[in-house]
Amino acid sequence: MTHDPTARERSHARYEALVLPHLDRLLGFARRRTATLADAEDAVQEACARAWLAFDELRDEALVRPWLYQILVSVLAAAAEKAGRRRRLVSVTRLEEAHEAVIGGAPDAVFEEVVARLTADAARQALDALPDDVAAPLELHVVEGLRYREVAAVLGIPIGTVMSRIHRGRKLLQGALASQVESGAAGSAGDVRPRRNAGTPHARPVRD
Amino acid sequence: MPHDPSTHERRLAEQHEALEGLLGAYADGELPPAQVAELDAHLLACARCRRQLELSSAVDRALASEVLVPASPRLRARVLAATRAPAVAEPPSPAPRRTRPAWERPLAWGGWLVAAGLALLLVAPRQQPARVVPPPAPPPVPMAVAAAADFRRSMGTALPGTPADLAGVRAALPFAVVPLSAPGLELLGAWRTSIRGEAAAALAYRWRDRVVVQYVVPEALFTRQPGVRQAVAERGLYAATDSGAGVVAWPGERSGILLVGAVAADELARLREGVPAPAS
């Protein structure tokens, strides 16, 4: 940034062109990790303000999306730390068993039923029940469309860890969905409780 | 030689154990060609992996199909307003200096007769005080520029430290690192950094909806800056703006303290006094 008014206006225009198109997705990511829409909006605004301050550091415009997510993850982690939010423990073992049942041994009819009940709401609710250290990489890749190396940069973890956590997250997610079907209630996940107020992506890591 | 089914199954199980963890990356197009070929061959024989892929694909489609709620016009306006906020305004200008006539200036070597003679020559209309337009604020001193740059770098990534790191930071530096205390100010993290090549402490705080960073630098670095010394002597603190970041600085205990944030310097100065800024 510079004191030259003309250059400053160019910076503003470039910033708006690069950042504003991602506001909806950033807000969606934040919303899934905050208690209220207002908190999510505050987090996105804070992230965008930091992005503006650090705008000159962005050398490659093609990297603006993972860069913005990296800043947003930092903002959300700080907010979660401040609020003293703790993750609700999820019975990972039960999810693993449910996954094994549907993949390894379930008759085709059960498998087909699990696939047939895969609505966006059911998938979202199941994802919300996962520990954030596997949910965040899975979401960044599947929902937000980031490549593995970009997810690694956003979360500050090795790409091998991204790969293993996404793999693990998918298995647990599928186990959660299978549990929903088994419990017989659409939108209910048996002993899998919905996530509220996500912790940091690095808290209580699932064993990789 | 007849094919031994048990050997085949054992080999398939070993292959499955080695490759199962790569299924996701295979489906995501994240594997190198050699591993893709391995999995292509494995999938021909492993029904379990084929089922896993089918379910993963279906789940991914369901996740990705969620309807996105667009950001409100109010949020967009807030985001844009933050880039054009008063934080980018010039710092409070120092009081315009009155140009003192030559005959008022102290003389290092006496010579009053010469001074009297000069006074007759030098009193002139151009030395009349009170120019209508105040002079532009001087550029920020290098120490302030360095602190502002470090602040911007910190805002572009995860904070390098946590509140629990404060004790370690204090123990590692030879000068006192005293956190700020003011209503609404909350410590977010502490870490060691370098300002103009000198080891320094950085303490990040949440203040209202902003992050501000307190830098504690060695006294020698702080007092080396003539602009800072003069400002502290005249007003008790130094204030500047660098590329949208406000900077205020004041002396500490065998140290210097800089406070940097995306707010106007006069707002930052309130934190020093522990006075809450008025709500916007």
Side-chain angles (χ1 to χ4, degrees):
Chain A
M1 281 179 282
T2 168
H3 293 290
D4 174 7
T6 304
R8 190 171 183 79
E9 282 306 312
R10 283 202 302 271
S11 266
H12 274 119
R14 180 169 163 258
Y15 171 85
E16 290 173 23
L18 286 177
V19 172
L20 289 190
H22 302 292
L23 267 193
D24 297 347
R25 299 222 70 93
L26 291 172
L27 183 63
F29 185 84
R31 184 65 190 92
R32 294 186 282 272
R33 285 160 179 78
T34 49
T36 65
L37 177 60
D39 288 345
E41 290 183 337
D42 286 349
V44 170
Q45 183 190 347
E46 171 73 27
C48 290
R50 293 194 195 185
W52 171 241
L53 284 176
F55 197 49
D56 285 347
E57 317 271 332
L58 179 65
R59 300 287 178 230
D60 184 354
E61 293 184 359
L63 299 178
V64 66
R65 202 155 59 98
W67 180 66
L68 288 171
Y69 277 104
Q70 185 178 21
I71 298 173
L72 180 60
V73 163
S74 170
V75 169
L76 290 167
E81 190 77 31
K82 173 197 172 190
R85 290 195 281 261
R86 296 290 178 264
R87 305 202 55 75
R88 295 190 184 194
L89 292 176
V90 175
S91 176
V92 169
T93 303
R94 297 288 293 271
L95 297 183
E96 290 173 332
E97 290 172 352
H99 171 263
E100 178 60 31
V102 74
I103 291 297
D108 288 347
V110 173
F111 181 84
E112 294 302 329
E113 187 180 3
V114 171
V115 173
R117 290 216 186 187
L118 278 178
T119 62
D121 282 347
R124 167 53 56 199
Q125 192 167 7
L127 183 67
D128 286 348
L130 302 189
D132 206 42
D133 61 317
V134 293
L138 183 59
E139 189 173 343
L140 286 169
H141 175 67
V142 174
V143 180
E144 308 302 335
L146 300 184
R147 304 295 300 176
Y148 280 22
R149 67 178 181 281
E150 293 173 327
V151 174
V154 168
L155 299 177
I157 56 179
I159 193 168
T161 305
V162 170
M163 185 183 301
S164 64
R165 288 189 183 180
I166 288 178
H167 176 68
R168 189 81 189 277
R170 277 193 172 113
K171 289 172 69 172
L172 295 179
L173 182 64
Q174 291 156 20
L177 286 162
S179 293
Q180 286 182 18
V181 171
E182 187 180 359
S183 71
S188 162
D191 68 336
V192 175
R193 288 157 289 178
R195 180 182 68 190
R196 286 290 179 269
N197 305 328
T200 70
H202 309 291
R204 296 202 182 90
V206 176
R207 198 168 58 253
D208 291 321
Chain B
M1 181 178 296
H3 178 65
D4 181 354
S6 63
T7 302
H8 171 74
E9 285 170 8
R10 188 172 59 250
R11 192 172 300 130
L12 183 62
E14 288 169 357
Q15 199 181 52
H16 175 82
E17 193 172 328
L19 297 176
E20 188 259 349
L22 300 178
L23 271 182
Y26 169 84
D28 295 337
E30 295 275 355
L31 290 181
Q35 284 185 314
V36 169
E38 268 190 278
L39 274 151
D40 283 342
H42 175 69
L43 284 167
L44 289 173
C46 184
R48 180 191 167 99
C49 280
R50 289 198 300 272
R51 187 177 257 203
Q52 173 68 65
L53 267 187
E54 183 183 344
L55 184 55
S56 292
S57 178
V59 171
D60 284 4
R61 281 196 304 273
L63 272 180
S65 67
E66 186 182 28
V67 174
L68 201 59
V69 176
S72 65
R74 185 175 63 98
L75 176 58
R76 290 179 181 273
R78 283 167 62 188
V79 167
L80 292 175
T83 67
R84 300 176 189 274
V88 303
E90 291 303 310
S93 300
R97 274 195 218 168
R98 185 175 72 91
T99 305
R100 300 167 68 183
W103 52 268
E104 281 192 34
R105 294 177 196 149
L107 299 169
W109 35 266
W112 296 106
L113 288 176
V114 174
L118 284 172
L120 292 174
L121 294 172
L122 291 176
V123 172
R126 72 174 182 275
Q127 295 182 350
Q128 294 302 312
R131 282 189 280 172
V132 174
V133 178
V141 299
M143 179 182 66
V145 171
D150 192 272
F151 170 79
R152 283 192 292 272
R153 275 193 300 274
S154 301
M155 294 301 103
T157 65
L159 290 181
T162 68
D165 293 326
L166 177 60
V169 170
R170 297 174 93 170
L173 292 168
F175 42 81
V177 177
V178 181
L180 296 176
S181 175
L185 198 65
E186 181 174 353
L187 183 67
L188 293 178
W191 63 93
R192 290 173 60 192
T193 187
S194 172
I195 301 295
R196 299 288 291 172
E198 304 273 0
L203 282 64
Y205 303 87
R206 177 175 300 281
W207 179 51
R208 295 165 64 205
D209 60 346
R210 303 281 188 177
V211 175
V212 298
V213 179
Q214 171 195 8
Y215 293 92
V216 187
V217 301
E219 183 177 36
L221 171 63
F222 188 83
T223 56
R224 195 183 303 157
Q225 324 275 317
V228 173
R229 290 200 306 270
Q230 182 178 354
V232 169
E234 291 177 359
R235 295 184 301 281
L237 85 167
Y238 167 85
T241 296
D242 181 72
S243 298
V247 183
V248 294
W250 63 90
E253 185 182 331
R254 291 184 297 118
S255 64
I257 298 167
L258 299 96
L259 189 59
V260 186
V263 291
D266 58 352
E267 290 284 311
L268 286 175
R270 291 172 178 269
L271 283 174
R272 181 200 179 186
E273 300 158 13
V275 176
S280 57

